[in-house]
């Protein structure tokens, strides 16, 4: 049961002062779906809910692993083994009990893409690791009326100043973006509209050995594990959430 003291005006008091009541009511109505709630997506989800997004679907097939603790918002020694989306949903509802958080412990892929009803969302956020599934999601998302934002590779990054945004085809120095472009060219297809991406052109060497606690990357539909750190992955997530909020603000100002 929702505590009546947790009203919209109390939780989002500072944001009402920033945006005003009319825009805040607009924010509350926006529908967002986020694919991937790991090192990037978990921080993105938290920022969105703390900013007033109340209709949020989170999608991720994984459970919390001990190796997630260094960088994923939802990962602690107490949540190991639990579904990531379940843990994150509990946290998000503690932040805003009014929110409607739809948690799907599923993997996005070609065989089930229609079940996510992408056309029903205002914003589609991609924080998927798998190259194959990421490429398919971007192509499908670009078919909808939704605004689409995508995270490129956040691993092997350290310098926060180098994290930036660009339209997908203008991203430079990112191996993941390059691999996606090569895949689209090979398929002789490309997303039908512009997709703004968060990326960094910094690529540090992967120095670590395989840790005994690692599962096979193939089990999680990933090519390999790369070193990563919390502030870098979190900044990627915060920037994607910021792109959503900025877009809502700009749309509102344009229409009023």
């Amino acid at each position: 049961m929702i505590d009546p003291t947790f009203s919209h005006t109390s939780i989002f008091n500072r944001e009402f002062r920033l945006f005003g009541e009319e825009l805040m009511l607009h924010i509350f109505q926006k529908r967002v779906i986020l694919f991937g709630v790991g090192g990037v997506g978990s921080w993105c989800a938290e920022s969105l809910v703390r900013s007033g997004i109340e209709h949020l679907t989170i999608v991720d097939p994984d459970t919390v692993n001990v190796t997630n603790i260094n960088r994923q918002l939802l990962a602690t020694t107490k949540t190991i083994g639990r579904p990531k989306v379940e843990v994150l949903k509990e946290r998000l509802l503690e932040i805003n009990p009014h929110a409607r958080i739809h948690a799907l412990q599923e993997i996005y892929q070609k065989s089930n893409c229609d079940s996510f009803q992408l056309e029903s969302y205002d914003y589609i956020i991609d924080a998927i690791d798998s190259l194959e599934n990421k490429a398919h999601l971007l192509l499908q998302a670009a078919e909808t009326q939704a605004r689409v934002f995508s995270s490129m590779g956040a691993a092997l990054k350290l310098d926060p100043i180098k994290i930036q945004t660009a339209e997908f085809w203008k991203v430079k120095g990112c191996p993941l973006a390059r691999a996606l472009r090569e895949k689209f060219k090979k398929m002789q297809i490309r997303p039908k509209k512009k997709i703004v991406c968060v990326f960094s052109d910094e690529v540090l060497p992967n120095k670590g050995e395989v840790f005994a606690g690692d599962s096979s990357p193939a089990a999680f539909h990933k090519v390999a594990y790369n070193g990563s750190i919390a502030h870098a992955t979190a900044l990627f997530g915060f920037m994607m959430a910021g792109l959503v909020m900025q877009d809502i603000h700009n749309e509102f100002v344009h229409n009023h």
Side-chain angles (χ1 to χ4, degrees):
M1 184 174 179
I2 297 175
D3 187 327
T5 62
F6 293 123
S7 67
H8 285 94
T9 51
S10 60
I11 294 174
F12 300 106
N13 178 276
R14 297 300 189 271
E15 210 163 346
F16 271 96
R17 293 168 183 263
L18 177 66
F19 290 141
E21 182 177 4
E22 192 174 358
L23 177 51
M24 281 306 302
L25 294 176
H26 192 60
I27 291 170
F28 293 146
Q29 298 303 314
K30 291 297 183 181
R31 292 173 53 83
V32 181
I33 187 167
L34 167 61
F35 292 92
V37 295
V40 174
S42 59
W43 301 96
C44 179
E46 169 122 348
S47 185
L48 288 171
V49 170
R50 288 188 185 274
S51 298
I53 295 297
E54 292 197 326
H55 299 270
L56 177 64
T57 299
I58 51 177
V59 184
D60 195 300
D62 293 353
T63 56
V64 179
N65 185 282
V66 64
T67 60
N68 302 149
I69 292 175
N70 84 306
R71 71 198 181 283
Q72 299 188 15
L73 177 74
L74 45 78
T76 70
T77 55
K78 293 184 178 180
T79 61
I80 292 171
R82 295 187 59 198
K84 291 182 180 180
V85 292
E86 180 183 292
V87 176
L88 185 58
K89 177 178 179 177
E90 290 175 3
R91 178 178 173 87
L92 297 178
L93 289 175
E94 287 178 357
I95 294 167
N96 181 9
H98 301 279
R100 297 172 179 85
I101 310 298
H102 190 31
L104 300 175
Q105 191 185 2
E106 300 179 28
I107 185 168
Y108 175 94
Q109 53 193 350
K110 185 177 181 179
S111 62
N112 70 348
C113 63
D114 290 342
S115 68
F116 296 103
Q117 299 180 319
L118 297 180
E119 67 282 354
S120 68
Y121 293 93
D122 300 297
Y123 292 91
I124 300 170
I125 305 176
D126 157 49
I128 292 177
D129 290 331
S130 162
L131 180 65
E132 184 76 23
N133 296 336
K134 192 179 194 75
H136 191 273
L137 172 60
L138 293 181
L139 290 172
Q140 293 299 115
E143 297 271 359
T144 72
Q145 297 298 311
R147 290 280 284 165
V148 185
F149 298 112
S150 178
S151 173
M152 296 295 104
L156 302 179
K157 317 297 182 188
L158 185 62
D159 187 348
I161 305 302
K162 292 186 177 181
I163 301 172
Q164 56 194 295
T165 64
E167 199 281 323
F168 172 71
W169 293 98
K170 295 181 179 179
V171 172
K172 297 180 180 179
C174 175
L176 178 55
R178 182 165 57 250
L180 281 168
R181 287 195 292 264
E182 290 173 356
K183 186 171 185 63
F184 288 144
K185 290 175 182 176
K186 186 176 181 180
M187 295 169 63
Q188 296 185 321
I189 191 172
R190 61 168 58 198
K192 291 187 176 180
K193 63 182 177 184
K194 293 182 178 181
I195 296 173
V196 177
C197 302
V198 178
F199 76 101
S200 169
D201 58 8
E202 178 183 31
V203 182
L204 298 175
N206 198 4
K207 297 180 179 180
E209 298 294 330
V210 175
F211 177 59
D214 283 342
S215 301
S216 167
F220 295 99
H221 305 269
K222 301 172 184 178
V223 177
Y225 288 122
N226 289 315
S228 52
I229 192 169
H231 75 264
T233 62
L235 282 171
F236 269 69
F238 286 140
M239 287 185 72
M240 290 218 293
L243 288 170
V244 171
M245 300 310 298
Q246 182 182 44
D247 190 76
I248 296 174
H249 172 269
N250 292 347
E251 175 199 46
F252 182 83
V253 171
H254 178 75
N255 292 332
H256 291 78

